[in-house]
Amino acid sequence: MPESAKPFHIRLLADPGLPTRRVNSIQEDFAAEARKLLNGEVTVSSDTRMLRIRPDATLDIDAVREMEEDHAEADAVIMLTEIPRHSTGHPLISEIFPDHNVAIVSCPTLGAWATKSRIRKVFTGSLLRLLPSGAGRDPEEYDQRWSQWKSTERGEGLGLFAHTITGGPRTVAGMVLGNDPLRAVPKLTSALGAGAATGAFGIFYSSIWQMADALSTTRLVLVGLAAVVTMIFWLVVREGLWDRTKHRSLATVVTLYNGSTAITLLVCILLLYLLLVGVIFLAGLVIIDAEYLATVIGGEVSLLNYLNIAWFSAVMGVFAGAIGSSFDSGADLRRLTHGQRERQREYTESA
């Protein structure tokens, strides 16, 4: 680090949501690492900011210049965004702009596992490449074996690209994590209530008990999966969650958006379905007398019989439309998807 009375200031910016939480979780460790690498006084500050993109989903260099101008007091600016970035057909993990002292890191391209550790390493490698040659340690020590630094398509910066084969699935997994499906489940309380009310009819009708007992385990599982898939399809159509390709250059990105949307909804609906099964199962244990159940199905009764009844009754709740018609907020559902959130970033003709 150049000799100066002024400490080296690193500014961390992050999109709202998961990127902000990740930056907050690594800020202290990253600051300690930066002090060791630069062998001097280093300050690290952070802020939440949404990175704007152009209507074709590409990064406008003006956005980089804006970050440089808005944080002129910083010696280096590192932005963590939830945008799944691509260049030359490869997932783009990080892109540095040495002329502007700015690095932009894409959170989804790092995947869903060990994300905090990976972010810290990518931040450190990007920072070292923003410094003058010879300053700090060798940045290659912080590179992942499944990534490679090379010139970007525009030639305006240097990019860290993920492996072609594993990069796509890793990016989708990272996008699903960024959609926070687990945080969406508590917003589905009205859906759980409506589904439980509809499915509860299965507890009181002996014909449902007989049908659940007659079906094989394989068929019960298939019926449950059919209910989940049907509800996902219904939500996608009703809420307009499926993105269409407007430009051929966006085909890869749109495919990633749609893939992450489908998997996110699958996680949400599957969890809600299992909650319904659990609620109905407990209610069945309380309400259905074992001896009476045995006379109805004509055999011995075990917990598996109660589970089969709960599973089949939950299917009724899903197919009745309780989940699809009772989400607490359509806006909450739409915010689950990357494609819908990215539209908030786009430049408009009047901007």
Side-chain angles (χ1 to χ4, degrees), residues 276-326:
L276 281 174
V277 171
V279 170
I280 298 173
F281 174 73
L282 294 176
L285 288 176
V286 174
I287 296 172
I288 303 175
D289 180 74
E291 293 183 0
Y292 180 58
L293 177 58
T295 61
V296 172
I297 64 176
E300 294 183 1
V301 173
S302 66
L303 287 178
L304 181 60
N305 295 107
Y306 286 93
L307 180 59
N308 289 343
I309 292 172
W311 186 274
F312 195 64
S313 299
V315 171
M316 292 174 51
V318 173
F319 274 127
I323 296 178
S325 62
S326 302

mmCIF file of all heavy atoms in Angstrom, residues 276-326:
data_model
loop_
_atom_site.group_PDB
_atom_site.id
_atom_site.type_symbol
_atom_site.label_atom_id
_atom_site.label_comp_id
_atom_site.label_asym_id
_atom_site.label_seq_id
_atom_site.Cartn_x
_atom_site.Cartn_y
_atom_site.Cartn_z
ATOM 1 N N LEU A 276 -48.911 -29.232 5.187
ATOM 2 C CA LEU A 276 -50.309 -29.677 5.163
ATOM 3 C C LEU A 276 -50.423 -31.134 5.606
ATOM 4 O O LEU A 276 -51.309 -31.491 6.395
ATOM 5 C CB LEU A 276 -50.883 -29.517 3.758
ATOM 6 C CG LEU A 276 -51.315 -28.120 3.323
ATOM 7 C CD1 LEU A 276 -51.709 -28.124 1.853
ATOM 8 C CD2 LEU A 276 -52.470 -27.619 4.172
ATOM 9 N N VAL A 277 -49.531 -31.967 5.102
ATOM 10 C CA VAL A 277 -49.545 -33.380 5.480
ATOM 11 C C VAL A 277 -49.359 -33.520 6.984
ATOM 12 O O VAL A 277 -50.069 -34.288 7.659
ATOM 13 C CB VAL A 277 -48.442 -34.158 4.728
ATOM 14 C CG1 VAL A 277 -48.316 -35.583 5.279
ATOM 15 C CG2 VAL A 277 -48.746 -34.207 3.239
ATOM 16 N N GLY A 278 -48.419 -32.743 7.531
ATOM 17 C CA GLY A 278 -48.161 -32.816 8.964
ATOM 18 C C GLY A 278 -49.356 -32.385 9.800
ATOM 19 O O GLY A 278 -49.708 -33.036 10.797
ATOM 20 N N VAL A 279 -49.994 -31.288 9.399
ATOM 21 C CA VAL A 279 -51.156 -30.784 10.139
ATOM 22 C C VAL A 279 -52.306 -31.795 10.095
ATOM 23 O O VAL A 279 -52.936 -32.098 11.121
ATOM 24 C CB VAL A 279 -51.604 -29.427 9.569
ATOM 25 C CG1 VAL A 279 -52.949 -29.008 10.155
ATOM 26 C CG2 VAL A 279 -50.552 -28.362 9.866
ATOM 27 N N ILE A 280 -52.592 -32.315 8.894
ATOM 28 C CA ILE A 280 -53.701 -33.263 8.752
ATOM 29 C C ILE A 280 -53.383 -34.577 9.454
ATOM 30 O O ILE A 280 -54.274 -35.228 10.037
ATOM 31 C CB ILE A 280 -54.009 -33.492 7.260
ATOM 32 C CG1 ILE A 280 -54.446 -32.172 6.605
ATOM 33 C CG2 ILE A 280 -55.099 -34.538 7.074
ATOM 34 C CD1 ILE A 280 -54.601 -32.258 5.098
ATOM 35 N N PHE A 281 -52.124 -34.990 9.423
ATOM 36 C CA PHE A 281 -51.718 -36.225 10.103
ATOM 37 C C PHE A 281 -51.977 -36.127 11.607
ATOM 38 O O PHE A 281 -52.558 -37.047 12.213
ATOM 39 C CB PHE A 281 -50.240 -36.487 9.841
ATOM 40 C CG PHE A 281 -49.669 -37.655 10.595
ATOM 41 C CD1 PHE A 281 -49.983 -38.948 10.241
ATOM 42 C CD2 PHE A 281 -48.823 -37.441 11.678
ATOM 43 C CE1 PHE A 281 -49.455 -40.035 10.938
ATOM 44 C CE2 PHE A 281 -48.293 -38.510 12.380
ATOM 45 C CZ PHE A 281 -48.616 -39.810 12.015
ATOM 46 N N LEU A 282 -51.579 -35.019 12.217
ATOM 47 C CA LEU A 282 -51.803 -34.840 13.654
ATOM 48 C C LEU A 282 -53.293 -34.777 13.977
ATOM 49 O O LEU A 282 -53.750 -35.350 14.980
ATOM 50 C CB LEU A 282 -51.092 -33.572 14.136
ATOM 51 C CG LEU A 282 -49.552 -33.596 14.076
ATOM 52 C CD1 LEU A 282 -48.991 -32.253 14.496
ATOM 53 C CD2 LEU A 282 -48.998 -34.705 14.971
ATOM 54 N N ALA A 283 -54.039 -34.074 13.117
ATOM 55 C CA ALA A 283 -55.486 -33.986 13.343
ATOM 56 C C ALA A 283 -56.131 -35.368 13.211
ATOM 57 O O ALA A 283 -57.047 -35.713 13.977
ATOM 58 C CB ALA A 283 -56.110 -33.012 12.348
ATOM 59 N N GLY A 284 -55.658 -36.164 12.257
ATOM 60 C CA GLY A 284 -56.207 -37.508 12.074
ATOM 61 C C GLY A 284 -55.957 -38.399 13.275
ATOM 62 O O GLY A 284 -56.827 -39.194 13.673
ATOM 63 N N LEU A 285 -54.769 -38.295 13.858
ATOM 64 C CA LEU A 285 -54.465 -39.090 15.048
ATOM 65 C C LEU A 285 -55.426 -38.775 16.190
ATOM 66 O O LEU A 285 -55.794 -39.653 16.979
ATOM 67 C CB LEU A 285 -53.022 -38.829 15.493
ATOM 68 C CG LEU A 285 -51.906 -39.414 14.618
ATOM 69 C CD1 LEU A 285 -50.542 -38.978 15.140
ATOM 70 C CD2 LEU A 285 -51.986 -40.939 14.563
ATOM 71 N N VAL A 286 -55.813 -37.507 16.287
ATOM 72 C CA VAL A 286 -56.704 -37.089 17.367
ATOM 73 C C VAL A 286 -58.152 -37.492 17.083
ATOM 74 O O VAL A 286 -58.875 -37.949 17.983
ATOM 75 C CB VAL A 286 -56.596 -35.564 17.574
ATOM 76 C CG1 VAL A 286 -57.628 -35.095 18.600
ATOM 77 C CG2 VAL A 286 -55.191 -35.184 18.019
ATOM 78 N N ILE A 287 -58.578 -37.359 15.836
ATOM 79 C CA ILE A 287 -60.001 -37.504 15.509
ATOM 80 C C ILE A 287 -60.393 -38.938 15.147
ATOM 81 O O ILE A 287 -61.439 -39.440 15.573
ATOM 82 C CB ILE A 287 -60.367 -36.539 14.355
ATOM 83 C CG1 ILE A 287 -60.174 -35.088 14.810
ATOM 84 C CG2 ILE A 287 -61.796 -36.782 13.882
ATOM 85 C CD1 ILE A 287 -60.329 -34.070 13.713
ATOM 86 N N ILE A 288 -59.565 -39.610 14.358
ATOM 87 C CA ILE A 288 -59.949 -40.932 13.839
ATOM 88 C C ILE A 288 -59.611 -42.020 14.860
ATOM 89 O O ILE A 288 -58.435 -42.217 15.203
ATOM 90 C CB ILE A 288 -59.243 -41.223 12.501
ATOM 91 C CG1 ILE A 288 -59.544 -40.135 11.475
ATOM 92 C CG2 ILE A 288 -59.676 -42.576 11.958
ATOM 93 C CD1 ILE A 288 -58.784 -40.277 10.174
ATOM 94 N N ASP A 289 -60.611 -42.712 15.321
ATOM 95 C CA ASP A 289 -60.401 -43.817 16.254
ATOM 96 C C ASP A 289 -59.789 -45.010 15.510
ATOM 97 O O ASP A 289 -60.258 -45.392 14.428
ATOM 98 C CB ASP A 289 -61.735 -44.229 16.883
ATOM 99 C CG ASP A 289 -61.571 -45.375 17.860
ATOM 100 O OD1 ASP A 289 -61.060 -45.144 18.964
ATOM 101 O OD2 ASP A 289 -61.942 -46.508 17.476
ATOM 102 N N ALA A 290 -58.777 -45.595 16.091
ATOM 103 C CA ALA A 290 -58.046 -46.679 15.424
ATOM 104 C C ALA A 290 -58.928 -47.902 15.183
ATOM 105 O O ALA A 290 -58.844 -48.535 14.110
ATOM 106 C CB ALA A 290 -56.823 -47.068 16.258
ATOM 107 N N GLU A 291 -59.774 -48.237 16.145
ATOM 108 C CA GLU A 291 -60.629 -49.411 15.975
ATOM 109 C C GLU A 291 -61.653 -49.187 14.862
ATOM 110 O O GLU A 291 -61.925 -50.095 14.072
ATOM 111 C CB GLU A 291 -61.332 -49.728 17.296
ATOM 112 C CG GLU A 291 -60.381 -50.193 18.394
ATOM 113 C CD GLU A 291 -61.136 -50.575 19.661
ATOM 114 O OE1 GLU A 291 -62.389 -50.466 19.668
ATOM 115 O OE2 GLU A 291 -60.470 -50.963 20.644
ATOM 116 N N TYR A 292 -62.212 -47.984 14.813
ATOM 117 C CA TYR A 292 -63.182 -47.692 13.761
ATOM 118 C C TYR A 292 -62.501 -47.691 12.389
ATOM 119 O O TYR A 292 -63.059 -48.196 11.403
ATOM 120 C CB TYR A 292 -63.848 -46.347 14.028
ATOM 121 C CG TYR A 292 -64.878 -45.967 12.995
ATOM 122 C CD1 TYR A 292 -65.970 -46.790 12.733
ATOM 123 C CD2 TYR A 292 -64.763 -44.779 12.273
ATOM 124 C CE1 TYR A 292 -66.913 -46.443 11.778
ATOM 125 C CE2 TYR A 292 -65.699 -44.421 11.322
ATOM 126 C CZ TYR A 292 -66.775 -45.259 11.082
ATOM 127 O OH TYR A 292 -67.713 -44.922 10.138
ATOM 128 N N LEU A 293 -61.284 -47.148 12.326
ATOM 129 C CA LEU A 293 -60.523 -47.148 11.075
ATOM 130 C C LEU A 293 -60.253 -48.576 10.617
ATOM 131 O O LEU A 293 -60.336 -48.880 9.409
ATOM 132 C CB LEU A 293 -59.208 -46.380 11.253
ATOM 133 C CG LEU A 293 -58.251 -46.343 10.049
ATOM 134 C CD1 LEU A 293 -58.923 -45.726 8.828
ATOM 135 C CD2 LEU A 293 -56.972 -45.565 10.394
ATOM 136 N N ALA A 294 -59.961 -49.457 11.558
ATOM 137 C CA ALA A 294 -59.679 -50.845 11.215
ATOM 138 C C ALA A 294 -60.895 -51.526 10.607
ATOM 139 O O ALA A 294 -60.771 -52.322 9.660
ATOM 140 C CB ALA A 294 -59.217 -51.602 12.459
ATOM 141 N N THR A 295 -62.101 -51.229 11.144
ATOM 142 C CA THR A 295 -63.316 -51.832 10.580
ATOM 143 C C THR A 295 -63.597 -51.297 9.179
ATOM 144 O O THR A 295 -64.129 -52.014 8.332
ATOM 145 C CB THR A 295 -64.523 -51.536 11.491
ATOM 146 O OG1 THR A 295 -64.725 -50.119 11.589
ATOM 147 C CG2 THR A 295 -64.301 -52.097 12.894
ATOM 148 N N VAL A 296 -63.253 -50.056 8.911
ATOM 149 C CA VAL A 296 -63.505 -49.453 7.598
ATOM 150 C C VAL A 296 -62.583 -50.031 6.536
ATOM 151 O O VAL A 296 -63.016 -50.380 5.428
ATOM 152 C CB VAL A 296 -63.359 -47.918 7.661
ATOM 153 C CG1 VAL A 296 -63.428 -47.317 6.252
ATOM 154 C CG2 VAL A 296 -64.446 -47.311 8.534
ATOM 155 N N ILE A 297 -61.294 -50.147 6.853
ATOM 156 C CA ILE A 297 -60.338 -50.609 5.842
ATOM 157 C C ILE A 297 -60.192 -52.130 5.867
ATOM 158 O O ILE A 297 -59.566 -52.713 4.975
ATOM 159 C CB ILE A 297 -58.951 -49.949 6.036
ATOM 160 C CG1 ILE A 297 -58.334 -50.360 7.379
ATOM 161 C CG2 ILE A 297 -59.048 -48.451 5.917
ATOM 162 C CD1 ILE A 297 -56.913 -49.831 7.593
ATOM 163 N N GLY A 298 -60.761 -52.764 6.880
ATOM 164 C CA GLY A 298 -60.731 -54.218 6.944
ATOM 165 C C GLY A 298 -59.360 -54.800 7.184
ATOM 166 O O GLY A 298 -58.987 -55.794 6.542
ATOM 167 N N GLY A 299 -58.604 -54.214 8.076
ATOM 168 C CA GLY A 299 -57.274 -54.729 8.395
ATOM 169 C C GLY A 299 -56.691 -54.041 9.601
ATOM 170 O O GLY A 299 -57.337 -53.166 10.211
ATOM 171 N N GLU A 300 -55.446 -54.408 9.937
ATOM 172 C CA GLU A 300 -54.780 -53.784 11.081
ATOM 173 C C GLU A 300 -54.391 -52.343 10.750
ATOM 174 O O GLU A 300 -54.135 -51.994 9.594
ATOM 175 C CB GLU A 300 -53.535 -54.590 11.458
ATOM 176 C CG GLU A 300 -53.839 -55.983 11.971
ATOM 177 C CD GLU A 300 -52.585 -56.714 12.406
ATOM 178 O OE1 GLU A 300 -51.491 -56.099 12.322
ATOM 179 O OE2 GLU A 300 -52.697 -57.876 12.809
ATOM 180 N N VAL A 301 -54.335 -51.525 11.784
ATOM 181 C CA VAL A 301 -54.047 -50.093 11.623
ATOM 182 C C VAL A 301 -52.670 -49.777 12.193
ATOM 183 O O VAL A 301 -52.297 -50.272 13.267
ATOM 184 C CB VAL A 301 -55.118 -49.242 12.338
ATOM 185 C CG1 VAL A 301 -54.729 -47.764 12.318
ATOM 186 C CG2 VAL A 301 -56.470 -49.439 11.676
ATOM 187 N N SER A 302 -51.921 -48.984 11.454
ATOM 188 C CA SER A 302 -50.620 -48.488 11.919
ATOM 189 C C SER A 302 -50.525 -46.998 11.607
ATOM 190 O O SER A 302 -51.418 -46.418 10.973
ATOM 191 C CB SER A 302 -49.478 -49.242 11.236
ATOM 192 O OG SER A 302 -49.466 -48.957 9.834
ATOM 193 N N LEU A 303 -49.439 -46.401 12.036
ATOM 194 C CA LEU A 303 -49.232 -44.974 11.748
ATOM 195 C C LEU A 303 -49.172 -44.711 10.245
ATOM 196 O O LEU A 303 -49.504 -43.610 9.788
ATOM 197 C CB LEU A 303 -47.936 -44.487 12.415
ATOM 198 C CG LEU A 303 -47.971 -44.327 13.940
ATOM 199 C CD1 LEU A 303 -46.602 -43.887 14.449
ATOM 200 C CD2 LEU A 303 -49.039 -43.309 14.343
ATOM 201 N N LEU A 304 -48.740 -45.722 9.478
ATOM 202 C CA LEU A 304 -48.668 -45.555 8.032
ATOM 203 C C LEU A 304 -50.050 -45.286 7.441
ATOM 204 O O LEU A 304 -50.183 -44.511 6.475
ATOM 205 C CB LEU A 304 -48.045 -46.795 7.389
ATOM 206 C CG LEU A 304 -47.869 -46.758 5.869
ATOM 207 C CD1 LEU A 304 -46.963 -45.611 5.465
ATOM 208 C CD2 LEU A 304 -47.318 -48.092 5.359
ATOM 209 N N ASN A 305 -51.084 -45.897 8.005
ATOM 210 C CA ASN A 305 -52.447 -45.647 7.516
ATOM 211 C C ASN A 305 -52.838 -44.187 7.723
ATOM 212 O O ASN A 305 -53.441 -43.567 6.837
ATOM 213 C CB ASN A 305 -53.436 -46.557 8.243
ATOM 214 C CG ASN A 305 -53.225 -48.034 7.941
ATOM 215 O OD1 ASN A 305 -52.742 -48.778 8.772
ATOM 216 N ND2 ASN A 305 -53.577 -48.437 6.716
ATOM 217 N N TYR A 306 -52.499 -43.647 8.878
ATOM 218 C CA TYR A 306 -52.803 -42.238 9.157
ATOM 219 C C TYR A 306 -52.005 -41.320 8.223
ATOM 220 O O TYR A 306 -52.501 -40.291 7.762
ATOM 221 C CB TYR A 306 -52.488 -41.911 10.611
ATOM 222 C CG TYR A 306 -53.486 -42.467 11.597
ATOM 223 C CD1 TYR A 306 -53.286 -43.709 12.194
ATOM 224 C CD2 TYR A 306 -54.636 -41.754 11.933
ATOM 225 C CE1 TYR A 306 -54.195 -44.232 13.103
ATOM 226 C CE2 TYR A 306 -55.557 -42.260 12.840
ATOM 227 C CZ TYR A 306 -55.334 -43.494 13.418
ATOM 228 O OH TYR A 306 -56.253 -43.996 14.314
ATOM 229 N N LEU A 307 -50.750 -41.717 7.959
ATOM 230 C CA LEU A 307 -49.920 -40.916 7.053
ATOM 231 C C LEU A 307 -50.486 -40.949 5.639
ATOM 232 O O LEU A 307 -50.520 -39.921 4.943
ATOM 233 C CB LEU A 307 -48.485 -41.428 7.065
ATOM 234 C CG LEU A 307 -47.488 -40.685 6.172
ATOM 235 C CD1 LEU A 307 -47.402 -39.211 6.569
ATOM 236 C CD2 LEU A 307 -46.111 -41.339 6.244
ATOM 237 N N ASN A 308 -50.937 -42.123 5.184
ATOM 238 C CA ASN A 308 -51.527 -42.226 3.846
ATOM 239 C C ASN A 308 -52.778 -41.357 3.720
ATOM 240 O O ASN A 308 -52.993 -40.703 2.694
ATOM 241 C CB ASN A 308 -51.871 -43.684 3.536
ATOM 242 C CG ASN A 308 -50.637 -44.535 3.311
ATOM 243 O OD1 ASN A 308 -49.543 -44.013 3.080
ATOM 244 N ND2 ASN A 308 -50.801 -45.848 3.393
ATOM 245 N N ILE A 309 -53.599 -41.361 4.768
ATOM 246 C CA ILE A 309 -54.813 -40.537 4.755
ATOM 247 C C ILE A 309 -54.441 -39.061 4.699
ATOM 248 O O ILE A 309 -55.033 -38.281 3.936
ATOM 249 C CB ILE A 309 -55.675 -40.835 6.003
ATOM 250 C CG1 ILE A 309 -56.242 -42.250 5.933
ATOM 251 C CG2 ILE A 309 -56.799 -39.812 6.139
ATOM 252 C CD1 ILE A 309 -56.945 -42.698 7.199
ATOM 253 N N ALA A 310 -53.438 -38.664 5.490
ATOM 254 C CA ALA A 310 -53.012 -37.258 5.497
ATOM 255 C C ALA A 310 -52.431 -36.855 4.144
ATOM 256 O O ALA A 310 -52.705 -35.769 3.629
ATOM 257 C CB ALA A 310 -51.981 -37.042 6.603
ATOM 258 N N TRP A 311 -51.637 -37.765 3.558
ATOM 259 C CA TRP A 311 -51.012 -37.475 2.254
ATOM 260 C C TRP A 311 -52.082 -37.279 1.178
ATOM 261 O O TRP A 311 -52.031 -36.317 0.415
ATOM 262 C CB TRP A 311 -50.084 -38.628 1.892
ATOM 263 C CG TRP A 311 -49.268 -38.390 0.648
ATOM 264 C CD1 TRP A 311 -49.636 -38.626 -0.628
ATOM 265 C CD2 TRP A 311 -47.940 -37.850 0.597
ATOM 266 N NE1 TRP A 311 -48.636 -38.285 -1.498
ATOM 267 C CE2 TRP A 311 -47.580 -37.799 -0.772
ATOM 268 C CE3 TRP A 311 -47.031 -37.432 1.560
ATOM 269 C CZ2 TRP A 311 -46.333 -37.349 -1.184
ATOM 270 C CZ3 TRP A 311 -45.796 -36.972 1.138
ATOM 271 C CH2 TRP A 311 -45.456 -36.920 -0.215
ATOM 272 N N PHE A 312 -53.035 -38.194 1.137
ATOM 273 C CA PHE A 312 -54.080 -38.125 0.117
ATOM 274 C C PHE A 312 -55.009 -36.932 0.359
ATOM 275 O O PHE A 312 -55.454 -36.274 -0.584
ATOM 276 C CB PHE A 312 -54.878 -39.431 0.113
ATOM 277 C CG PHE A 312 -55.737 -39.606 -1.104
ATOM 278 C CD1 PHE A 312 -55.166 -39.719 -2.357
ATOM 279 C CD2 PHE A 312 -57.117 -39.653 -1.004
ATOM 280 C CE1 PHE A 312 -55.943 -39.879 -3.494
ATOM 281 C CE2 PHE A 312 -57.912 -39.809 -2.128
ATOM 282 C CZ PHE A 312 -57.323 -39.924 -3.376
ATOM 283 N N SER A 313 -55.285 -36.621 1.601
ATOM 284 C CA SER A 313 -56.138 -35.471 1.919
ATOM 285 C C SER A 313 -55.461 -34.157 1.551
ATOM 286 O O SER A 313 -56.113 -33.219 1.096
ATOM 287 C CB SER A 313 -56.486 -35.475 3.410
ATOM 288 O OG SER A 313 -57.201 -36.639 3.774
ATOM 289 N N ALA A 314 -54.131 -34.084 1.742
ATOM 290 C CA ALA A 314 -53.392 -32.884 1.361
ATOM 291 C C ALA A 314 -53.450 -32.663 -0.142
ATOM 292 O O ALA A 314 -53.494 -31.522 -0.614
ATOM 293 C CB ALA A 314 -51.942 -32.997 1.826
ATOM 294 N N VAL A 315 -53.449 -33.764 -0.901
ATOM 295 C CA VAL A 315 -53.614 -33.649 -2.354
ATOM 296 C C VAL A 315 -54.936 -32.988 -2.680
ATOM 297 O O VAL A 315 -55.027 -32.124 -3.563
ATOM 298 C CB VAL A 315 -53.531 -35.048 -3.011
ATOM 299 C CG1 VAL A 315 -53.927 -34.971 -4.484
ATOM 300 C CG2 VAL A 315 -52.127 -35.612 -2.885
ATOM 301 N N MET A 316 -55.976 -33.362 -1.965
ATOM 302 C CA MET A 316 -57.288 -32.733 -2.172
ATOM 303 C C MET A 316 -57.213 -31.236 -1.915
ATOM 304 O O MET A 316 -57.779 -30.430 -2.657
ATOM 305 C CB MET A 316 -58.327 -33.358 -1.227
ATOM 306 C CG MET A 316 -58.676 -34.803 -1.525
ATOM 307 S SD MET A 316 -59.755 -35.498 -0.260
ATOM 308 C CE MET A 316 -61.043 -34.261 -0.183
ATOM 309 N N GLY A 317 -56.497 -30.863 -0.831
ATOM 310 C CA GLY A 317 -56.372 -29.442 -0.505
ATOM 311 C C GLY A 317 -55.675 -28.660 -1.594
ATOM 312 O O GLY A 317 -56.073 -27.544 -1.928
ATOM 313 N N VAL A 318 -54.627 -29.260 -2.179
ATOM 314 C CA VAL A 318 -53.887 -28.580 -3.240
ATOM 315 C C VAL A 318 -54.731 -28.464 -4.505
ATOM 316 O O VAL A 318 -54.854 -27.405 -5.108
ATOM 317 C CB VAL A 318 -52.564 -29.322 -3.531
ATOM 318 C CG1 VAL A 318 -51.879 -28.711 -4.746
ATOM 319 C CG2 VAL A 318 -51.654 -29.255 -2.327
ATOM 320 N N PHE A 319 -55.340 -29.575 -4.928
ATOM 321 C CA PHE A 319 -56.119 -29.567 -6.159
ATOM 322 C C PHE A 319 -57.356 -28.680 -6.032
ATOM 323 O O PHE A 319 -57.885 -28.208 -7.037
ATOM 324 C CB PHE A 319 -56.545 -30.987 -6.534
ATOM 325 C CG PHE A 319 -55.527 -31.726 -7.333
ATOM 326 C CD1 PHE A 319 -55.074 -32.983 -6.932
ATOM 327 C CD2 PHE A 319 -55.009 -31.184 -8.493
ATOM 328 C CE1 PHE A 319 -54.137 -33.676 -7.674
ATOM 329 C CE2 PHE A 319 -54.070 -31.868 -9.239
ATOM 330 C CZ PHE A 319 -53.628 -33.120 -8.832
ATOM 331 N N ALA A 320 -57.836 -28.449 -4.814
ATOM 332 C CA ALA A 320 -58.993 -27.578 -4.629
ATOM 333 C C ALA A 320 -58.655 -26.125 -4.895
ATOM 334 O O ALA A 320 -59.547 -25.276 -4.934
ATOM 335 C CB ALA A 320 -59.552 -27.740 -3.224
ATOM 336 N N GLY A 321 -57.372 -25.828 -5.068
ATOM 337 C CA GLY A 321 -56.978 -24.454 -5.380
ATOM 338 C C GLY A 321 -56.734 -23.602 -4.166
ATOM 339 O O GLY A 321 -56.598 -22.377 -4.289
ATOM 340 N N ALA A 322 -56.670 -24.217 -2.975
ATOM 341 C CA ALA A 322 -56.475 -23.424 -1.768
ATOM 342 C C ALA A 322 -55.158 -22.674 -1.796
ATOM 343 O O ALA A 322 -55.093 -21.497 -1.440
ATOM 344 C CB ALA A 322 -56.536 -24.337 -0.540
ATOM 345 N N ILE A 323 -54.090 -23.365 -2.229
ATOM 346 C CA ILE A 323 -52.780 -22.719 -2.230
ATOM 347 C C ILE A 323 -52.720 -21.628 -3.290
ATOM 348 O O ILE A 323 -52.320 -20.498 -3.026
ATOM 349 C CB ILE A 323 -51.675 -23.757 -2.481
ATOM 350 C CG1 ILE A 323 -51.660 -24.757 -1.320
ATOM 351 C CG2 ILE A 323 -50.322 -23.091 -2.621
ATOM 352 C CD1 ILE A 323 -50.653 -25.857 -1.486
ATOM 353 N N GLY A 324 -53.130 -21.936 -4.508
ATOM 354 C CA GLY A 324 -53.015 -20.969 -5.601
ATOM 355 C C GLY A 324 -53.856 -19.733 -5.392
ATOM 356 O O GLY A 324 -53.504 -18.652 -5.865
ATOM 357 N N SER A 325 -54.985 -19.845 -4.689
ATOM 358 C CA SER A 325 -55.870 -18.699 -4.545
ATOM 359 C C SER A 325 -55.683 -17.956 -3.239
ATOM 360 O O SER A 325 -56.368 -16.982 -2.979
ATOM 361 C CB SER A 325 -57.342 -19.157 -4.625
ATOM 362 O OG SER A 325 -57.632 -20.053 -3.569
ATOM 363 N N SER A 326 -54.746 -18.424 -2.394
ATOM 364 C CA SER A 326 -54.684 -17.846 -1.062
ATOM 365 C C SER A 326 -53.295 -17.390 -0.650
ATOM 366 O O SER A 326 -52.975 -17.388 0.527
ATOM 367 C CB SER A 326 -55.201 -18.867 -0.029
ATOM 368 O OG SER A 326 -56.513 -19.256 -0.327
#
